[in-house]
Amino acid sequence: MKKILFISSTSNISTGSYRIWVNDLSNYFNSIGIDTKITNRIEDSKDYDIIICGKGDANTAVSVKNNFPNKVVGVINLAADKIGLPLDFVIVGSIEEIDSLSEYNNVFMFPLIEKMYQGQKCKVHGNKKMLRLGFHGSHTHLAKFEPNLRRALEELDDLINFELLVITSDPNFNWKIGRPKINNLQIKQWNFETVKKDLSSCDIGLVPNITQINAKSFPSDSALGLYNTDYILRMKNKSNAGRAFVFHQLGIPVVADITPSNFHIMGGDDCGYLVNSKNGWKRSILSLTDKNKRTNISTNAFNRFNELYDPKKWADKLYKQILEIAHG
């Protein structure tokens, strides 16, 4: 049995990359019988076979490899400006990122499964005088409300009684692009101690990620199969389904955009809705004003998530993939 050492320059549990890919993943490894430790000391590498360096610690990984050339060394969530460093493997959270790092032969996925939300009972939805729509994530995602989700919310504000709860990394961020002009908008700081309670209070989860580009600005050419109705979408290479996962884990139905990773659970309309247009966002949210629809959709997604994303199974798969490198 090979031993695993995580080297991370941060131990901040509020940082998602540390929480999921270091703290939680090390616990999963230990739970399936793999001797695993977390440290911030390079010299500890001498006693371990596999070294996994945290996000932002790519240069540390190179130092480990230089000092301990026989160790198998990898990095979590490698930054674009570090591509090309001599690494044995990279750990990522999505199929989008796997392809973006295809310069490396060994790019392995461990999905963004939040241990802090596991073991929850699936929410049973009742009648509400005011629906709570929820968003959580970095303030850098807030611009993704523009234009279609913003427009949908503004039109819905005249049709249904709802509030939008935004839980984000910087509640004081000067949110201009994508901020909907609606009656009820609450913005809160993401807090490890309270975020589970805050998100559990939501009735519908909103997950925008894509930047819309107007196809009408580009020439059409039927000979090339190009039309002004085409989708032209922009997304980060690190796009993933992590923000949707949290809502699935809590039993909250999700409306998300058509980011590729979202399709694994939400590819049909039985586990949530994938949309792009203003009317798509609007129609899906309106559908979920029905309490029975919310319960059915969220229960299906809750069950499918637990079936597809057992963290111990993913940890075991990841360990076996790394072992193949270790065994040459």
Side-chain angles (χ1 to χ4, degrees), residues 25-224:
L25 182 53
S26 67
N27 286 331
Y28 298 136
F29 281 144
N30 279 316
S31 71
I32 59 176
I34 302 163
D35 187 350
T36 307
K37 176 185 172 182
I38 303 171
T39 186
N40 59 4
R41 293 159 33 96
I42 291 176
E43 52 268 33
D44 291 346
S45 302
K46 66 182 187 300
D47 299 321
Y48 290 81
D49 309 291
I50 297 164
I51 316 300
I52 302 174
C53 293
K55 180 181 179 181
D57 296 317
N59 291 334
T60 298
V62 174
S63 296
V64 172
K65 196 66 180 176
N66 289 337
N67 287 281
F68 303 96
N70 294 325
K71 307 296 184 182
V72 177
V73 182
V75 169
I76 292 164
N77 202 229
L78 184 68
D81 63 351
K82 300 298 182 181
I83 293 175
L85 292 180
L87 304 169
D88 295 312
F89 66 94
V90 180
I91 296 174
V92 301
S94 68
I95 56 171
E96 295 90 324
E97 193 172 8
I98 288 175
D99 185 71
S100 75
L101 295 173
S102 57
E103 179 173 325
Y104 292 96
N105 291 326
N106 301 304
V107 185
F108 306 135
M109 185 162 77
F110 185 83
L112 285 89
I113 304 167
E114 286 273 21
K115 191 172 189 290
M116 63 188 287
Y117 300 111
Q118 286 190 285
Q120 305 298 305
K121 291 184 178 180
C122 187
K123 181 171 183 172
V124 176
H125 293 263
N127 289 321
K128 296 287 292 288
K129 292 182 179 179
M130 176 181 283
L131 286 175
R132 172 169 278 186
L133 312 186
F135 166 92
H136 70 104
S138 168
H139 65 276
T140 58
H141 292 297
L142 292 173
K144 309 306 180 182
F145 277 68
E146 181 68 25
N148 292 329
L149 177 53
R150 173 186 62 78
R151 292 172 180 168
L153 292 174
E154 289 173 351
E155 292 185 12
L156 286 168
D157 208 32
D158 295 327
L159 299 175
I160 60 174
N161 191 23
F162 77 91
E163 66 173 336
L164 174 63
L165 172 64
V166 171
I167 301 174
T168 189
S169 54
D170 182 4
N172 298 315
F173 172 70
N174 187 17
W175 183 16
K176 293 182 178 179
I177 299 174
R179 181 174 181 136
K181 295 178 181 178
I182 56 177
N183 289 318
N184 301 299
L185 172 59
Q186 181 183 174
I187 302 177
K188 294 187 68 173
Q189 171 77 49
W190 192 100
N191 182 289
F192 182 79
E193 301 298 329
T194 60
V195 66
K196 186 191 301 183
K197 180 179 179 181
D198 289 337
L199 290 177
S200 296
S201 71
C202 296
D203 303 293
I204 301 170
L206 304 177
V207 186
N209 177 65
I210 284 172
T211 297
Q212 181 92 30
I213 300 172
N214 189 351
K216 294 180 180 179
S217 302
F218 295 84
S220 297
D221 188 335
S222 59
L224 297 176

Side-chain angles (χ1 to χ4, degrees), residues 20 28 92-96 109-115 117-119 240-242 244-246 248-249 260-267 300-315 317:
I20 296 170
Y28 298 136
V92 301
S94 68
I95 56 171
E96 295 90 324
M109 185 162 77
F110 185 83
L112 285 89
I113 304 167
E114 286 273 21
K115 191 172 189 290
Y117 300 111
Q118 286 190 285
N240 59 73
F245 283 177
V246 170
H248 298 327
Q249 289 176 275
S261 284
N262 290 335
F263 282 83
H264 198 209
I265 286 180
M266 300 173 65
N300 290 339
F302 178 87
N303 291 334
R304 188 167 297 176
F305 178 88
N306 289 329
E307 175 188 349
L308 295 175
Y309 291 99
D310 181 328
K312 292 183 180 180
K313 289 181 179 178
W314 279 93
K317 178 182 177 181

